[in-house]
PDB file of all heavy atoms in Angstrom:
ATOM      1  N   VAL A   1      26.363  28.741 -69.849  1.00 93.00           N
ATOM      2  CA  VAL A   1      26.871  27.455 -70.333  1.00 93.00           C
ATOM      3  C   VAL A   1      26.989  26.467 -69.169  1.00 93.00           C
ATOM      4  O   VAL A   1      26.589  25.304 -69.271  1.00 93.00           O
ATOM      5  CB  VAL A   1      28.244  27.619 -71.023  1.00 93.00           C
ATOM      6  CG1 VAL A   1      28.809  26.254 -71.422  1.00 93.00           C
ATOM      7  CG2 VAL A   1      28.124  28.518 -72.245  1.00 93.00           C
ATOM      8  N   ILE A   2      27.514  26.941 -68.048  1.00 92.00           N
ATOM      9  CA  ILE A   2      27.651  26.089 -66.868  1.00 92.00           C
ATOM     10  C   ILE A   2      26.291  25.567 -66.428  1.00 92.00           C
ATOM     11  O   ILE A   2      26.145  24.394 -66.072  1.00 92.00           O
ATOM     12  CB  ILE A   2      28.326  26.860 -65.711  1.00 92.00           C
ATOM     13  CG1 ILE A   2      29.792  27.132 -66.052  1.00 92.00           C
ATOM     14  CG2 ILE A   2      28.233  26.078 -64.401  1.00 92.00           C
ATOM     15  CD1 ILE A   2      30.474  28.096 -65.095  1.00 92.00           C
ATOM     16  N   PHE A   3      25.266  26.435 -66.476  1.00 91.00           N
ATOM     17  CA  PHE A   3      23.940  26.026 -66.018  1.00 91.00           C
ATOM     18  C   PHE A   3      23.403  24.839 -66.793  1.00 91.00           C
ATOM     19  O   PHE A   3      22.975  23.846 -66.214  1.00 91.00           O
ATOM     20  CB  PHE A   3      22.952  27.192 -66.118  1.00 91.00           C
ATOM     21  CG  PHE A   3      21.531  26.793 -65.810  1.00 91.00           C
ATOM     22  CD1 PHE A   3      21.106  26.690 -64.499  1.00 91.00           C
ATOM     23  CD2 PHE A   3      20.631  26.502 -66.833  1.00 91.00           C
ATOM     24  CE1 PHE A   3      19.797  26.302 -64.216  1.00 91.00           C
ATOM     25  CE2 PHE A   3      19.332  26.123 -66.547  1.00 91.00           C
ATOM     26  CZ  PHE A   3      18.918  26.024 -65.234  1.00 91.00           C
ATOM     27  N   PHE A   4      23.421  24.913 -68.132  1.00 86.00           N
ATOM     28  CA  PHE A   4      22.777  23.818 -68.849  1.00 86.00           C
ATOM     29  C   PHE A   4      23.665  22.582 -69.002  1.00 86.00           C
ATOM     30  O   PHE A   4      23.210  21.534 -69.451  1.00 86.00           O
ATOM     31  CB  PHE A   4      22.155  24.269 -70.179  1.00 86.00           C
ATOM     32  CG  PHE A   4      23.065  24.909 -71.190  1.00 86.00           C
ATOM     33  CD1 PHE A   4      23.957  24.163 -71.929  1.00 86.00           C
ATOM     34  CD2 PHE A   4      22.972  26.268 -71.441  1.00 86.00           C
ATOM     35  CE1 PHE A   4      24.743  24.743 -72.896  1.00 86.00           C
ATOM     36  CE2 PHE A   4      23.774  26.868 -72.399  1.00 86.00           C
ATOM     37  CZ  PHE A   4      24.658  26.110 -73.128  1.00 86.00           C
ATOM     38  N   LEU A   5      24.937  22.666 -68.572  1.00 87.00           N
ATOM     39  CA  LEU A   5      25.785  21.466 -68.559  1.00 87.00           C
ATOM     40  C   LEU A   5      26.017  20.948 -67.138  1.00 87.00           C
ATOM     41  O   LEU A   5      26.707  19.945 -66.946  1.00 87.00           O
ATOM     42  CB  LEU A   5      27.147  21.781 -69.204  1.00 87.00           C
ATOM     43  CG  LEU A   5      27.156  22.361 -70.615  1.00 87.00           C
ATOM     44  CD1 LEU A   5      28.595  22.552 -71.096  1.00 87.00           C
ATOM     45  CD2 LEU A   5      26.402  21.466 -71.584  1.00 87.00           C
ATOM     46  N   PHE A   6      25.417  21.605 -66.151  1.00 87.00           N
ATOM     47  CA  PHE A   6      25.848  21.459 -64.770  1.00 87.00           C
ATOM     48  C   PHE A   6      25.377  20.184 -64.069  1.00 87.00           C
ATOM     49  O   PHE A   6      26.124  19.584 -63.309  1.00 87.00           O
ATOM     50  CB  PHE A   6      25.381  22.682 -63.974  1.00 87.00           C
ATOM     51  CG  PHE A   6      26.056  22.825 -62.641  1.00 87.00           C
ATOM     52  CD1 PHE A   6      27.428  22.768 -62.528  1.00 87.00           C
ATOM     53  CD2 PHE A   6      25.314  23.028 -61.486  1.00 87.00           C
ATOM     54  CE1 PHE A   6      28.060  22.912 -61.308  1.00 87.00           C
ATOM     55  CE2 PHE A   6      25.925  23.169 -60.259  1.00 87.00           C
ATOM     56  CZ  PHE A   6      27.297  23.113 -60.162  1.00 87.00           C
ATOM     57  N   PHE A   7      24.148  19.745 -64.294  1.00 89.00           N
ATOM     58  CA  PHE A   7      23.610  18.641 -63.491  1.00 89.00           C
ATOM     59  C   PHE A   7      24.417  17.351 -63.646  1.00 89.00           C
ATOM     60  O   PHE A   7      24.787  16.721 -62.654  1.00 89.00           O
ATOM     61  CB  PHE A   7      22.137  18.406 -63.830  1.00 89.00           C
ATOM     62  CG  PHE A   7      21.383  17.725 -62.717  1.00 89.00           C
ATOM     63  CD1 PHE A   7      20.761  18.466 -61.730  1.00 89.00           C
ATOM     64  CD2 PHE A   7      21.300  16.347 -62.662  1.00 89.00           C
ATOM     65  CE1 PHE A   7      20.076  17.845 -60.694  1.00 89.00           C
ATOM     66  CE2 PHE A   7      20.616  15.710 -61.639  1.00 89.00           C
ATOM     67  CZ  PHE A   7      20.000  16.465 -60.648  1.00 89.00           C
ATOM     68  N   PRO A   8      24.726  16.908 -64.889  1.00 92.00           N
ATOM     69  CA  PRO A   8      25.605  15.729 -65.006  1.00 92.00           C
ATOM     70  C   PRO A   8      26.966  15.973 -64.377  1.00 92.00           C
ATOM     71  O   PRO A   8      27.584  15.056 -63.816  1.00 92.00           O
ATOM     72  CB  PRO A   8      25.726  15.529 -66.523  1.00 92.00           C
ATOM     73  CG  PRO A   8      24.534  16.207 -67.093  1.00 92.00           C
ATOM     74  CD  PRO A   8      24.269  17.382 -66.205  1.00 92.00           C
ATOM     75  N   GLY A   9      27.451  17.228 -64.452  1.00 92.00           N
ATOM     76  CA  GLY A   9      28.768  17.560 -63.910  1.00 92.00           C
ATOM     77  C   GLY A   9      28.835  17.425 -62.405  1.00 92.00           C
ATOM     78  O   GLY A   9      29.800  16.867 -61.861  1.00 92.00           O
ATOM     79  N   ILE A  10      27.828  17.912 -61.699  1.00 93.00           N
ATOM     80  CA  ILE A  10      27.852  17.845 -60.243  1.00 93.00           C
ATOM     81  C   ILE A  10      27.691  16.406 -59.754  1.00 93.00           C
ATOM     82  O   ILE A  10      28.271  15.996 -58.749  1.00 93.00           O
ATOM     83  CB  ILE A  10      26.778  18.781 -59.617  1.00 93.00           C
ATOM     84  CG1 ILE A  10      27.037  18.958 -58.123  1.00 93.00           C
ATOM     85  CG2 ILE A  10      25.379  18.257 -59.859  1.00 93.00           C
ATOM     86  CD1 ILE A  10      26.132  19.988 -57.473  1.00 93.00           C
ATOM     87  N   ASP A  11      26.927  15.596 -60.494  1.00 93.00           N
ATOM     88  CA  ASP A  11      26.781  14.186 -60.129  1.00 93.00           C
ATOM     89  C   ASP A  11      28.107  13.450 -60.339  1.00 93.00           C
ATOM     90  O   ASP A  11      28.501  12.617 -59.516  1.00 93.00           O
ATOM     91  CB  ASP A  11      25.679  13.533 -60.962  1.00 93.00           C
ATOM     92  CG  ASP A  11      25.207  12.217 -60.368  1.00 93.00           C
ATOM     93  OD1 ASP A  11      25.005  12.152 -59.141  1.00 93.00           O
ATOM     94  OD2 ASP A  11      25.043  11.245 -61.124  1.00 93.00           O
ATOM     95  N   MET A  12      28.814  13.758 -61.428  1.00 93.00           N
ATOM     96  CA  MET A  12      30.117  13.158 -61.670  1.00 93.00           C
ATOM     97  C   MET A  12      31.107  13.536 -60.574  1.00 93.00           C
ATOM     98  O   MET A  12      31.853  12.685 -60.061  1.00 93.00           O
ATOM     99  CB  MET A  12      30.665  13.598 -63.029  1.00 93.00           C
ATOM    100  CG  MET A  12      32.065  13.075 -63.334  1.00 93.00           C
ATOM    101  SD  MET A  12      32.786  13.785 -64.841  1.00 93.00           S
ATOM    102  CE  MET A  12      33.052  15.495 -64.290  1.00 93.00           C
ATOM    103  N   LEU A  13      31.126  14.807 -60.176  1.00 92.00           N
ATOM    104  CA  LEU A  13      32.039  15.269 -59.127  1.00 92.00           C
ATOM    105  C   LEU A  13      31.782  14.530 -57.824  1.00 92.00           C
ATOM    106  O   LEU A  13      32.718  14.060 -57.160  1.00 92.00           O
ATOM    107  CB  LEU A  13      31.865  16.781 -58.918  1.00 92.00           C
ATOM    108  CG  LEU A  13      32.712  17.413 -57.807  1.00 92.00           C
ATOM    109  CD1 LEU A  13      34.198  17.245 -58.107  1.00 92.00           C
ATOM    110  CD2 LEU A  13      32.347  18.887 -57.635  1.00 92.00           C
ATOM    111  N   ARG A  14      30.512  14.409 -57.466  1.00 93.00           N
ATOM    112  CA  ARG A  14      30.172  13.688 -56.224  1.00 93.00           C
ATOM    113  C   ARG A  14      30.600  12.232 -56.291  1.00 93.00           C
ATOM    114  O   ARG A  14      31.190  11.691 -55.339  1.00 93.00           O
ATOM    115  CB  ARG A  14      28.655  13.808 -56.008  1.00 93.00           C
ATOM    116  CG  ARG A  14      28.158  13.329 -54.648  1.00 93.00           C
ATOM    117  CD  ARG A  14      27.603  11.927 -54.679  1.00 93.00           C
ATOM    118  NE  ARG A  14      26.579  11.745 -55.687  1.00 93.00           N
ATOM    119  CZ  ARG A  14      26.057  10.553 -55.990  1.00 93.00           C
ATOM    120  NH1 ARG A  14      26.492   9.452 -55.401  1.00 93.00           N
ATOM    121  NH2 ARG A  14      25.139  10.445 -56.940  1.00 93.00           N
ATOM    122  N   LEU A  15      30.367  11.565 -57.432  1.00 92.00           N
ATOM    123  CA  LEU A  15      30.752  10.165 -57.591  1.00 92.00           C
ATOM    124  C   LEU A  15      32.269   9.991 -57.544  1.00 92.00           C
ATOM    125  O   LEU A  15      32.780   9.051 -56.918  1.00 92.00           O
ATOM    126  CB  LEU A  15      30.206   9.625 -58.914  1.00 92.00           C
ATOM    127  CG  LEU A  15      28.706   9.343 -58.947  1.00 92.00           C
ATOM    128  CD1 LEU A  15      28.230   9.188 -60.385  1.00 92.00           C
ATOM    129  CD2 LEU A  15      28.367   8.094 -58.154  1.00 92.00           C
ATOM    130  N   PHE A  16      33.006  10.886 -58.209  1.00 91.00           N
ATOM    131  CA  PHE A  16      34.466  10.814 -58.194  1.00 91.00           C
ATOM    132  C   PHE A  16      34.994  10.920 -56.762  1.00 91.00           C
ATOM    133  O   PHE A  16      35.868  10.153 -56.353  1.00 91.00           O
ATOM    134  CB  PHE A  16      35.062  11.933 -59.054  1.00 91.00           C
ATOM    135  CG  PHE A  16      35.147  11.598 -60.523  1.00 91.00           C
ATOM    136  CD1 PHE A  16      34.547  10.463 -61.038  1.00 91.00           C
ATOM    137  CD2 PHE A  16      35.833  12.432 -61.400  1.00 91.00           C
ATOM    138  CE1 PHE A  16      34.610  10.149 -62.394  1.00 91.00           C
ATOM    139  CE2 PHE A  16      35.916  12.134 -62.752  1.00 91.00           C
ATOM    140  CZ  PHE A  16      35.306  10.991 -63.255  1.00 91.00           C
ATOM    141  N   ILE A  17      34.456  11.881 -56.002  1.00 91.00           N
ATOM    142  CA  ILE A  17      34.914  12.076 -54.622  1.00 91.00           C
ATOM    143  C   ILE A  17      34.618  10.843 -53.775  1.00 91.00           C
ATOM    144  O   ILE A  17      35.483  10.352 -53.039  1.00 91.00           O
ATOM    145  CB  ILE A  17      34.253  13.327 -54.013  1.00 91.00           C
ATOM    146  CG1 ILE A  17      34.771  14.592 -54.703  1.00 91.00           C
ATOM    147  CG2 ILE A  17      34.523  13.399 -52.510  1.00 91.00           C
ATOM    148  CD1 ILE A  17      34.027  15.853 -54.311  1.00 91.00           C
ATOM    149  N   GLU A  18      33.402  10.316 -53.891  1.00 90.00           N
ATOM    150  CA  GLU A  18      33.022   9.143 -53.099  1.00 90.00           C
ATOM    151  C   GLU A  18      33.881   7.934 -53.448  1.00 90.00           C
ATOM    152  O   GLU A  18      34.322   7.183 -52.563  1.00 90.00           O
ATOM    153  CB  GLU A  18      31.544   8.809 -53.330  1.00 90.00           C
ATOM    154  CG  GLU A  18      30.588   9.777 -52.656  1.00 90.00           C
ATOM    155  CD  GLU A  18      29.139   9.357 -52.798  1.00 90.00           C
ATOM    156  OE1 GLU A  18      28.859   8.380 -53.543  1.00 90.00           O
ATOM    157  OE2 GLU A  18      28.276   9.995 -52.170  1.00 90.00           O
ATOM    158  N   ARG A  19      34.137   7.718 -54.739  1.00 91.00           N
ATOM    159  CA  ARG A  19      34.919   6.563 -55.156  1.00 91.00           C
ATOM    160  C   ARG A  19      36.368   6.674 -54.684  1.00 91.00           C
ATOM    161  O   ARG A  19      36.959   5.693 -54.228  1.00 91.00           O
ATOM    162  CB  ARG A  19      34.861   6.406 -56.676  1.00 91.00           C
ATOM    163  CG  ARG A  19      33.487   5.979 -57.185  1.00 91.00           C
ATOM    164  CD  ARG A  19      33.374   6.103 -58.701  1.00 91.00           C
ATOM    165  NE  ARG A  19      32.035   5.779 -59.174  1.00 91.00           N
ATOM    166  CZ  ARG A  19      31.641   5.913 -60.430  1.00 91.00           C
ATOM    167  NH1 ARG A  19      32.480   6.383 -61.348  1.00 91.00           N
ATOM    168  NH2 ARG A  19      30.413   5.599 -60.779  1.00 91.00           N
ATOM    169  N   ILE A  20      36.941   7.868 -54.797  1.00 90.00           N
ATOM    170  CA  ILE A  20      38.327   8.068 -54.360  1.00 90.00           C
ATOM    171  C   ILE A  20      38.448   7.885 -52.852  1.00 90.00           C
ATOM    172  O   ILE A  20      39.370   7.227 -52.356  1.00 90.00           O
ATOM    173  CB  ILE A  20      38.831   9.468 -54.784  1.00 90.00           C
ATOM    174  CG1 ILE A  20      38.981   9.528 -56.311  1.00 90.00           C
ATOM    175  CG2 ILE A  20      40.170   9.792 -54.112  1.00 90.00           C
ATOM    176  CD1 ILE A  20      39.231  10.917 -56.853  1.00 90.00           C
ATOM    177  N   VAL A  21      37.488   8.451 -52.094  1.00 90.00           N
ATOM    178  CA  VAL A  21      37.483   8.302 -50.628  1.00 90.00           C
ATOM    179  C   VAL A  21      37.385   6.836 -50.236  1.00 90.00           C
ATOM    180  O   VAL A  21      38.005   6.391 -49.261  1.00 90.00           O
ATOM    181  CB  VAL A  21      36.314   9.111 -50.014  1.00 90.00           C
ATOM    182  CG1 VAL A  21      36.102   8.724 -48.553  1.00 90.00           C
ATOM    183  CG2 VAL A  21      36.575  10.602 -50.133  1.00 90.00           C
ATOM    184  N   ASN A  22      36.645   6.054 -51.024  1.00 88.00           N
ATOM    185  CA  ASN A  22      36.478   4.625 -50.741  1.00 88.00           C
ATOM    186  C   ASN A  22      37.569   3.762 -51.358  1.00 88.00           C
ATOM    187  O   ASN A  22      37.480   2.530 -51.358  1.00 88.00           O
ATOM    188  CB  ASN A  22      35.111   4.150 -51.246  1.00 88.00           C
ATOM    189  CG  ASN A  22      33.967   4.757 -50.445  1.00 88.00           C
ATOM    190  OD1 ASN A  22      34.071   4.951 -49.240  1.00 88.00           O
ATOM    191  ND2 ASN A  22      32.868   5.079 -51.118  1.00 88.00           N
ATOM    192  N   GLY A  23      38.619   4.409 -51.900  1.00 86.00           N
ATOM    193  CA  GLY A  23      39.762   3.680 -52.431  1.00 86.00           C
ATOM    194  C   GLY A  23      39.512   3.005 -53.762  1.00 86.00           C
ATOM    195  O   GLY A  23      40.195   2.034 -54.106  1.00 86.00           O
ATOM    196  N   ARG A  24      38.567   3.542 -54.541  1.00 88.00           N
ATOM    197  CA  ARG A  24      38.239   2.954 -55.839  1.00 88.00           C
ATOM    198  C   ARG A  24      38.685   3.862 -56.969  1.00 88.00           C
ATOM    199  O   ARG A  24      38.890   5.064 -56.790  1.00 88.00           O
ATOM    200  CB  ARG A  24      36.730   2.722 -55.940  1.00 88.00           C
ATOM    201  CG  ARG A  24      36.167   1.720 -54.960  1.00 88.00           C
ATOM    202  CD  ARG A  24      34.661   1.666 -55.054  1.00 88.00           C
ATOM    203  NE  ARG A  24      34.236   1.448 -56.430  1.00 88.00           N
ATOM    204  CZ  ARG A  24      33.076   1.882 -56.912  1.00 88.00           C
ATOM    205  NH1 ARG A  24      32.249   2.562 -56.149  1.00 88.00           N
ATOM    206  NH2 ARG A  24      32.765   1.633 -58.176  1.00 88.00           N
ATOM    207  N   ASN A  25      38.824   3.272 -58.153  1.00 83.00           N
ATOM    208  CA  ASN A  25      39.103   4.047 -59.352  1.00 83.00           C
ATOM    209  C   ASN A  25      37.895   4.944 -59.637  1.00 83.00           C
ATOM    210  O   ASN A  25      36.766   4.446 -59.707  1.00 83.00           O
ATOM    211  CB  ASN A  25      39.352   3.098 -60.536  1.00 83.00           C
ATOM    212  CG  ASN A  25      39.784   3.825 -61.803  1.00 83.00           C
ATOM    213  OD1 ASN A  25      39.347   4.936 -62.094  1.00 83.00           O
ATOM    214  ND2 ASN A  25      40.640   3.185 -62.577  1.00 83.00           N
ATOM    215  N   PRO A  26      38.093   6.262 -59.800  1.00 83.00           N
ATOM    216  CA  PRO A  26      36.938   7.151 -60.031  1.00 83.00           C
ATOM    217  C   PRO A  26      36.166   6.830 -61.296  1.00 83.00           C
ATOM    218  O   PRO A  26      35.009   7.254 -61.447  1.00 83.00           O
ATOM    219  CB  PRO A  26      37.571   8.550 -60.104  1.00 83.00           C
ATOM    220  CG  PRO A  26      39.012   8.310 -60.417  1.00 83.00           C
ATOM    221  CD  PRO A  26      39.360   7.003 -59.764  1.00 83.00           C
ATOM    222  N   PHE A  27      36.781   6.071 -62.226  1.00 80.00           N
ATOM    223  CA  PHE A  27      36.113   5.739 -63.482  1.00 80.00           C
ATOM    224  C   PHE A  27      35.416   4.381 -63.437  1.00 80.00           C
ATOM    225  O   PHE A  27      34.809   3.963 -64.418  1.00 80.00           O
ATOM    226  CB  PHE A  27      37.115   5.777 -64.643  1.00 80.00           C
ATOM    227  CG  PHE A  27      37.677   7.141 -64.906  1.00 80.00           C
ATOM    228  CD1 PHE A  27      38.943   7.474 -64.457  1.00 80.00           C
ATOM    229  CD2 PHE A  27      36.933   8.097 -65.580  1.00 80.00           C
ATOM    230  CE1 PHE A  27      39.465   8.741 -64.684  1.00 80.00           C
ATOM    231  CE2 PHE A  27      37.446   9.368 -65.813  1.00 80.00           C
ATOM    232  CZ  PHE A  27      38.723   9.689 -65.356  1.00 80.00           C
ATOM    233  N   ASP A  28      35.511   3.683 -62.295  1.00 79.00           N
ATOM    234  CA  ASP A  28      34.796   2.417 -62.146  1.00 79.00           C
ATOM    235  C   ASP A  28      33.288   2.669 -62.099  1.00 79.00           C
ATOM    236  O   ASP A  28      32.834   3.631 -61.461  1.00 79.00           O
ATOM    237  CB  ASP A  28      35.222   1.696 -60.867  1.00 79.00           C
ATOM    238  CG  ASP A  28      36.580   1.034 -61.003  1.00 79.00           C
ATOM    239  OD1 ASP A  28      37.063   0.912 -62.142  1.00 79.00           O
ATOM    240  OD2 ASP A  28      37.157   0.646 -59.969  1.00 79.00           O
ATOM    241  N   GLY A  29      32.531   1.807 -62.770  1.00 76.00           N
ATOM    242  CA  GLY A  29      31.085   1.977 -62.787  1.00 76.00           C
ATOM    243  C   GLY A  29      30.426   1.492 -61.509  1.00 76.00           C
ATOM    244  O   GLY A  29      30.954   0.637 -60.798  1.00 76.00           O
ATOM    245  N   ASP A  30      29.268   2.037 -61.194  1.00 81.00           N
ATOM    246  CA  ASP A  30      28.453   1.551 -60.085  1.00 81.00           C
ATOM    247  C   ASP A  30      27.017   2.038 -60.312  1.00 81.00           C
ATOM    248  O   ASP A  30      26.718   2.682 -61.324  1.00 81.00           O
ATOM    249  CB  ASP A  30      28.986   2.019 -58.726  1.00 81.00           C
ATOM    250  CG  ASP A  30      29.079   3.536 -58.596  1.00 81.00           C
ATOM    251  OD1 ASP A  30      28.234   4.234 -59.186  1.00 81.00           O
ATOM    252  OD2 ASP A  30      29.999   4.027 -57.921  1.00 81.00           O
ATOM    253  N   LYS A  31      26.148   1.722 -59.370  1.00 83.00           N
ATOM    254  CA  LYS A  31      24.737   2.137 -59.460  1.00 83.00           C
ATOM    255  C   LYS A  31      24.414   3.138 -58.357  1.00 83.00           C
ATOM    256  O   LYS A  31      23.344   3.096 -57.755  1.00 83.00           O
ATOM    257  CB  LYS A  31      23.829   0.910 -59.392  1.00 83.00           C
ATOM    258  CG  LYS A  31      23.882   0.058 -60.662  1.00 83.00           C
ATOM    259  CD  LYS A  31      23.287  -1.323 -60.457  1.00 83.00           C
ATOM    260  CE  LYS A  31      21.841  -1.265 -60.051  1.00 83.00           C
ATOM    261  NZ  LYS A  31      21.252  -2.616 -59.866  1.00 83.00           N
ATOM    262  N   ASN A  32      25.374   4.051 -58.131  1.00 88.00           N
ATOM    263  CA  ASN A  32      25.221   5.058 -57.092  1.00 88.00           C
ATOM    264  C   ASN A  32      24.946   6.438 -57.683  1.00 88.00           C
ATOM    265  O   ASN A  32      25.039   7.446 -56.997  1.00 88.00           O
ATOM    266  CB  ASN A  32      26.491   5.095 -56.228  1.00 88.00           C
ATOM    267  CG  ASN A  32      26.295   5.896 -54.959  1.00 88.00           C
ATOM    268  OD1 ASN A  32      25.189   5.979 -54.416  1.00 88.00           O
ATOM    269  ND2 ASN A  32      27.357   6.527 -54.490  1.00 88.00           N
ATOM    270  N   HIS A  33      24.619   6.480 -58.981  1.00 91.00           N
ATOM    271  CA  HIS A  33      24.314   7.758 -59.628  1.00 91.00           C
ATOM    272  C   HIS A  33      22.996   8.308 -59.081  1.00 91.00           C
ATOM    273  O   HIS A  33      22.164   7.556 -58.558  1.00 91.00           O
ATOM    274  CB  HIS A  33      24.188   7.576 -61.142  1.00 91.00           C
ATOM    275  CG  HIS A  33      25.432   7.049 -61.790  1.00 91.00           C
ATOM    276  ND1 HIS A  33      25.883   5.764 -61.582  1.00 91.00           N
ATOM    277  CD2 HIS A  33      26.326   7.629 -62.632  1.00 91.00           C
ATOM    278  CE1 HIS A  33      27.004   5.570 -62.275  1.00 91.00           C
ATOM    279  NE2 HIS A  33      27.290   6.680 -62.911  1.00 91.00           N
ATOM    280  N   ILE A  34      22.792   9.599 -59.239  1.00 93.00           N
ATOM    281  CA  ILE A  34      21.583  10.225 -58.705  1.00 93.00           C
ATOM    282  C   ILE A  34      20.321   9.615 -59.319  1.00 93.00           C
ATOM    283  O   ILE A  34      19.307   9.438 -58.637  1.00 93.00           O
ATOM    284  CB  ILE A  34      21.621  11.765 -58.912  1.00 93.00           C
ATOM    285  CG1 ILE A  34      20.500  12.450 -58.127  1.00 93.00           C
ATOM    286  CG2 ILE A  34      21.546  12.121 -60.389  1.00 93.00           C
ATOM    287  CD1 ILE A  34      20.671  12.378 -56.629  1.00 93.00           C
ATOM    288  N   HIS A  35      20.376   9.237 -60.605  1.00 92.00           N
ATOM    289  CA  HIS A  35      19.182   8.661 -61.232  1.00 92.00           C
ATOM    290  C   HIS A  35      18.876   7.264 -60.686  1.00 92.00           C
ATOM    291  O   HIS A  35      17.723   6.867 -60.605  1.00 92.00           O
ATOM    292  CB  HIS A  35      19.313   8.627 -62.764  1.00 92.00           C
ATOM    293  CG  HIS A  35      20.630   8.145 -63.266  1.00 92.00           C
ATOM    294  ND1 HIS A  35      21.673   9.002 -63.563  1.00 92.00           N
ATOM    295  CD2 HIS A  35      21.083   6.895 -63.539  1.00 92.00           C
ATOM    296  CE1 HIS A  35      22.704   8.297 -64.005  1.00 92.00           C
ATOM    297  NE2 HIS A  35      22.372   7.023 -63.996  1.00 92.00           N
ATOM    298  N   HIS A  36      19.911   6.515 -60.304  1.00 90.00           N
ATOM    299  CA  HIS A  36      19.674   5.198 -59.693  1.00 90.00           C
ATOM    300  C   HIS A  36      19.034   5.362 -58.318  1.00 90.00           C
ATOM    301  O   HIS A  36      18.127   4.603 -57.938  1.00 90.00           O
ATOM    302  CB  HIS A  36      20.989   4.429 -59.551  1.00 90.00           C
ATOM    303  CG  HIS A  36      21.572   3.998 -60.860  1.00 90.00           C
ATOM    304  ND1 HIS A  36      22.889   4.176 -61.186  1.00 90.00           N
ATOM    305  CD2 HIS A  36      21.009   3.414 -61.940  1.00 90.00           C
ATOM    306  CE1 HIS A  36      23.116   3.713 -62.403  1.00 90.00           C
ATOM    307  NE2 HIS A  36      21.989   3.246 -62.876  1.00 90.00           N
TER     308      HIS A  36
END
């Protein structure tokens, strides 16, 4: 189950960490996703 749900999950985790480190709301949108 983790495998087929994992790719969006790991991208979300990375974005949350980066946004929090940069003092931003983790739910704020940006164009820093892996697909962008």
Side-chain angles (χ1 to χ4, degrees):
V1 175
I2 291 170
F3 173 81
F4 58 75
L5 305 182
F6 195 50
F7 203 90
I10 194 173
D11 197 44
M12 177 188 69
L13 178 62
R14 190 262 307 172
L15 286 164
F16 276 9
I17 292 171
E18 287 185 353
R19 291 168 184 174
I20 291 170
V21 167
N22 292 324
R24 296 175 53 209
N25 186 325
F27 295 101
D28 284 346
D30 58 33
K31 288 165 60 179
N32 192 30
H33 300 69
I34 191 68
H35 45 267
H36 291 133

